[in-house]
Structures are given as C-alpha cells and as structure tokens.
Amino acid sequence: MTNEELVKHVDLDHPDFRARSSEVYYLSDDKILKLYFPEMDDGSIDSEILNTSTAFQKGCTPMEYYGDVRIQGRRGLILKRLKGCSMTNMPAKNPLIVFKAGKILAELHAGVHEKTSDKLKDIRQEAVRVLEDDNVFYFLTREEKDTLKKYIMSLPESNHILHMDFHTDNILCDGDNYQVIDWMTALRGDPLAEVAMMNFLHHDAELFPGSSKLKIAMMQMVRGFIYNSFIKNYEKLTGRTEEASHKWDIVAYILRLGNWNIESEREDLQQKIKTFLKGVQKS
C-alpha cells in the first residue's frame, strides 16, 4: 500500500498523540504519520528527515523514514511504528523504573555519542544562526551577539551525533528494550553540549502546562533524581563531566530559546544568557 493510500482515511480530529510541533497518527502495525502543524517550516522538517535517516543508518535508533505526504496543507512524515510506551508514562505500569531511568538515559546517551556523522549541522554554527533571529533575541545588542558568536565559534568542533532533546518522552520502553525517538533537533558536535542541555531539561524546562502545583513539584523532584543518576552514570561511562559541560551552557540556552521560545521559559533563559554573557565579557 502506498503512503498516499495509508493516509487517505486519517481522522485529523483524533490524533493518537500530540506534541509541540506535530500530531501523530497510527496508520498500521508498522507505520505512523507524524503530521506537522501548519506553522512548521519546510527547513525544519527537511532537517528532521536528514537527522532521522542519519540516526537510523548509524544505528542510533530503529526509527526509519519512509517518505512524506501533504494533507490539507500540512506536511507529514511516514515513519516506522515502534512498540512500547514513553518512559514518562512507564511509572504507571512499573514504578521502579524511576530508580533505573538515569542509568538507562546515560547508557543511551553514551551509545549515541559514540556515533559520528558529518551530514548533520554543526551545533556551533546552528547556535550562531539561531542567534540572528531578532524576534527572539531582541534583548541583545549587535555587539553582545557578536561577543557570543565569537565565544561559541571558539568552542571545539566535533562530529559526534547529538540528539539535543533527550528526555523521557523521547524514550520508548518495550520490556528491557529502550529506543530513542524524535530526532528533529539532532546536530553534530561535542557531547558535552548535550550534557549542558540535559542539565537545563532536567532542572529548568517547562513541565506539563496546566498541571497542578503539586504535580509539578512532584515531577521536579523526579526529574532531579533522574538527572543526578544520569550524570553519575554518564561520567562513569564516558569520562566526560558535568563541570566540563558548563562552557556549553550558552549554546544550550540559545538553542532552547531560539528553537522553542516557550513563554514560561523565556524570561529565565534571557536572564541565563545575559549572565553567561557577562562572564564572557569579563574573561
């Protein structure tokens, strides 16, 4: 059956899963449709195709790309359907997974970071590109942007594969099999940049908008616990340390703000960027 035939009867009013940039529909036992919202630009979608294909070819994920389609003006990707549920939802089935989640994330990270590719975008160059968006980075002067660009491009170049959105929602659990999904933000570079992003995601990123204060407080505790286990195990596996990752914090802040621009994170990220900038200016 062709991709066009598979998506012909998709009920757009009832997605099986909704994310920030897309909705997901199950097409068959082995295929899904990831249908982007109309505001998503073709460049970002093309990047996800390249990233997903590269990650699959390098053995970082079993997620395979089968082609793209257009439905009512929206662009969508046909991807391999993987078994399992997200690690975020696993505690409802297996509460004990919380105690080994950090170790699992560390092992998955170490495995991905062993792989290299020159096809993906350089994380430094991508941060510099994103920084040019005046609609997002209006709070920085031209001189301040140039200072940050110079600093970012002085960081070491590398070609390790980086996921850059490595949280429990993007890990599928099927028994003892764990699979990394959603490669839209993937880049190449120093794995320490991913450690810097992990630090932000597990301490400062938005948690379930609209949730009660109690649920948010509980989730903050859980993700902090997971991060502590993650970094301990990752340092042991790779020899890379959290302390060494802090020189990449500015790249994580810029990419997070520039790519997502989440209202609840905006003020905090602006302040983090300003504070890091002051440190660069003094050095």
Side-chain angles (χ1 to χ4, degrees), residues 88-272:
T88 299
N89 296 326
M90 272 300 291
K93 298 180 178 181
N94 177 17
L96 295 179
I97 196 170
V98 171
F99 297 99
K100 59 179 183 178
K103 185 173 186 291
I104 293 167
L105 286 175
E107 291 171 347
L108 290 171
H109 267 81
V112 168
H113 293 162
E114 285 178 356
K115 309 297 194 305
T116 59
S117 174
D118 292 322
K119 294 182 179 180
L120 305 184
K121 295 177 182 176
D122 182 323
I123 189 169
R124 304 167 311 149
Q125 293 176 359
E126 183 64 6
V128 165
R129 183 192 70 79
V130 167
L131 192 57
E132 280 301 314
D133 188 343
D134 291 331
N135 291 322
V136 177
F137 295 94
Y138 59 86
F139 59 95
L140 295 174
T141 66
R142 168 50 53 191
E143 182 181 1
E144 289 173 331
K145 287 183 179 181
D146 288 343
T147 298
L148 288 176
K149 287 180 181 181
K150 183 178 180 180
Y151 171 83
I152 291 167
M153 292 309 297
S154 74
L155 293 169
E157 181 180 6
S158 187
N159 63 351
H160 293 274
I161 294 177
L162 312 176
H163 184 278
M164 297 307 292
D165 197 23
F166 220 126
H167 52 74
T168 53
D169 262 354
N170 286 333
I171 308 299
L172 283 187
C173 306
D174 181 23
D176 290 328
N177 186 30
Y178 304 100
Q179 304 162 116
V180 186
I181 62 171
D182 198 350
W183 291 83
M184 184 167 69
T185 56
L187 298 163
R188 64 176 174 88
D190 190 325
L192 289 171
E194 182 118 68
V195 175
M197 182 64 85
M198 284 291 286
N199 199 327
F200 176 84
L201 291 175
H202 284 79
H203 292 98
D204 301 302
E206 180 183 68
L207 273 171
F208 306 111
S211 298
S212 68
K213 290 183 179 180
L214 178 60
K215 181 178 180 180
I216 290 175
M218 288 291 292
M219 288 304 299
Q220 284 175 332
M221 289 177 58
V222 169
R223 71 178 181 179
F225 174 82
I226 290 173
Y227 176 81
N228 289 338
S229 174
F230 156 75
I231 196 63
K232 177 183 177 181
N233 282 280
Y234 184 80
E235 289 181 348
K236 187 184 298 183
L237 285 168
T238 68
R240 304 183 187 104
T241 66
E242 179 187 59
E243 182 179 0
S245 77
H246 289 312
K247 63 177 176 287
W248 288 93
D249 285 346
I250 188 62
V251 172
Y253 301 153
I254 288 170
L255 290 176
R256 180 68 179 185
L257 181 59
N259 288 334
W260 299 107
N261 199 15
I262 299 168
E263 184 177 359
S264 65
E265 298 177 359
R266 193 175 300 142
E267 186 176 347
D268 179 51
L269 280 167
Q270 289 175 354
Q271 186 57 51
K272 288 181 186 299

Side-chain angles (χ1 to χ4, degrees), residues 58-103:
K58 293 291 183 175
C60 298
T61 180
M63 179 70 73
E64 191 170 0
Y65 165 70
Y66 296 126
D68 62 328
V69 295
R70 286 193 180 272
I71 302 176
Q72 296 184 9
R74 296 169 62 183
R75 192 171 171 191
L77 307 186
I78 308 297
L79 301 166
K80 183 175 182 178
R81 180 176 177 179
L82 304 179
K83 294 181 180 180
C85 72
S86 77
M87 186 179 284
T88 299
N89 296 326
M90 272 300 291
K93 298 180 178 181
N94 177 17
L96 295 179
I97 196 170
V98 171
F99 297 99
K100 59 179 183 178
K103 185 173 186 291

